[in-house]
Amino acid sequence: MKYKNKNKAILLLEDGTVFHGKSIGFSGTKGGEICFNTGMTGYQEVYTDPSYYGQIMVNTNAHIGNYGVHPDESESDSPKIFGVVINAFSDDYSRGQAVDNLNNYLIKHEIPGICDVDTRKIVRHIRNKGAMNAIISSEISDIDELKRELAKVPSMEGLELSSYVSTKEPYEMGLEGGIKLAVMDYGIKSSILKQLIQRGFRCKVFPSNATFKDTEEWNPQAYFLSNGPGDPGVMTDAINNSKQIIESGKPLFGICLGHQLIALANGIKTFKMHNGHRGLNQPVLNTESGRSEITSQNHGFSIVTEDVEKSSLVVATHLNLNDNTVEGLRMKDKKVFSVQYHPESSPGPHDSRYLFDQFISLIN
């Protein structure tokens, strides 16, 4: 059913492009980096993924909101996006298991949005022009005033954001007596923890600022570096911490931001991508098995391919079949590996969940 709200909203892009539509969710003004996700399902999982902190999400799927929201489909305690851009929005839902409509959910968590805009045009624009900041407002109609507000929004490049979404205190999950895994939380998704716990890990989740000394006091058998938002290149403490974990000789697995931190710890630089990879259908080649995987991805930074090719410490294990960026690493003489994409795939295909089993096999 067509959304009935008649309140107006504006989306202003950093390059001055303006889109007019209807207000959805929370009434207000919010800026962030605009990006798009090509997934046809899983909007609640996307909105609550901590890696999206600081970003305005454009859903390329035309219809959003039609199956409501459910607490079991959240990847964190609340939405982490700063705003949402939708073509056809529905505040009615047909799924009996849903507990509320998406509009109420966005209002509750103070997430502003805009609908009844041409999302195909917006995606084509930012796909061609590259990543940029944007601002959504349902309260400011003067474009010059909006431009002044938008100018206050910092660039994603150079931002450390994991501390905003990480746990503040350590906590444990999983069965007593399981494999002791120290999890560095830079913005971890709950579905990653579920995959680890299902395989017999006893996880202790540490804040992003925890030191190697802090984690070693628990005497873990292995380490995991999580996904998260922001620019990995400025995370000096996390990079140094990763180096110490690697030097310990204990098995280490990294996903997304964790992958980039492992790369940086091995002298491989990262860079801001033109657009990034965000969706549920990114094709990846496992260069060691020769098999391809359809993967779920969400990242705006990547590691420098030339640095990997020159490295004496690591080898590339996975490549993106769309643009040939490196999607996976393995250290040559350590029990350390990582992938840029999300093998837990929530939402998305389950082609890559074997990586969690691969991690188990590295632990004595």
Side-chain angles (χ1 to χ4, degrees), residues 6 27-28 50 89 111 153 257-258 300-301 313 318 331 334 352 362:
K6 295 182 180 180
S27 295
F89 181 74
I111 307 297
V153 179
L257 179 63
F301 291 83
L313 302 174
H318 298 76
M331 289 194 68
K334 300 282 187 181
S352 307
L362 295 179

Side-chain angles (χ1 to χ4, degrees), residues 105-136:
Y105 183 74
L106 295 173
I107 292 171
K108 176 183 176 182
H109 295 287
E110 300 186 359
I111 307 297
I114 184 172
C115 71
D116 284 10
V117 289
D118 188 343
T119 49
R120 290 175 300 178
K121 184 176 181 179
I122 295 169
V123 168
R124 284 197 301 268
H125 185 84
I126 59 179
R127 183 191 63 195
N128 295 333
K129 298 288 186 178
M132 66 179 75
N133 285 341
I135 193 166
I136 295 174

Side-chain angles (χ1 to χ4, degrees), residues 21 26 39 52 60 83 85 88 109 206 273 286 295 306 311 315-316:
F26 185 73
Y52 282 116
T60 63
V85 181
H109 295 287
F206 289 89
M273 302 176 76
N286 183 323
T295 66
E306 293 76 13
S311 176
V315 293

Side-chain angles (χ1 to χ4, degrees), residues 36-46 49 52 59-61 67 189 277-284 293-298 322 341-342 344-352:
F36 58 89
N37 186 294
T38 59
M40 295 185 68
T41 61
Y43 54 77
Q44 186 178 344
E45 292 95 324
V46 168
D49 179 349
Y52 282 116
N59 289 103
T60 63
N61 189 46
Y67 58 81
K189 294 172 64 180
H277 301 152
R278 297 178 181 91
L280 316 181
N281 59 350
Q282 289 281 336
V284 167
E293 306 166 21
I294 303 301
T295 66
S296 177
Q297 301 202 12
N298 169 21
N322 285 335
Y341 53 94
H342 281 265
E344 80 287 350
S345 302
S346 180
H350 299 168
D351 298 23
S352 307

Side-chain angles (χ1 to χ4, degrees), residues 282-295 297 316-322 324-328 339 341 354:
Q282 289 281 336
V284 167
L285 174 67
N286 183 323
T287 60
E288 299 190 316
S289 70
R291 299 181 65 182
S292 61
E293 306 166 21
I294 303 301
T295 66
Q297 301 202 12
T317 57
H318 298 76
L319 297 175
N320 189 290
L321 291 173
N322 285 335
N324 287 318
T325 52
V326 176
E327 296 275 5
V339 288
Y341 53 94
Y354 70 89

Side-chain angles (χ1 to χ4, degrees), residues 57 64 110 119 124 147 199 203 234 294 297 322 359:
M57 172 55 57
I64 297 294
E110 300 186 359
T119 49
R124 284 197 301 268
K147 287 180 178 179
R199 286 162 176 78
C203 298
V234 300
I294 303 301
Q297 301 202 12
N322 285 335
F359 185 34

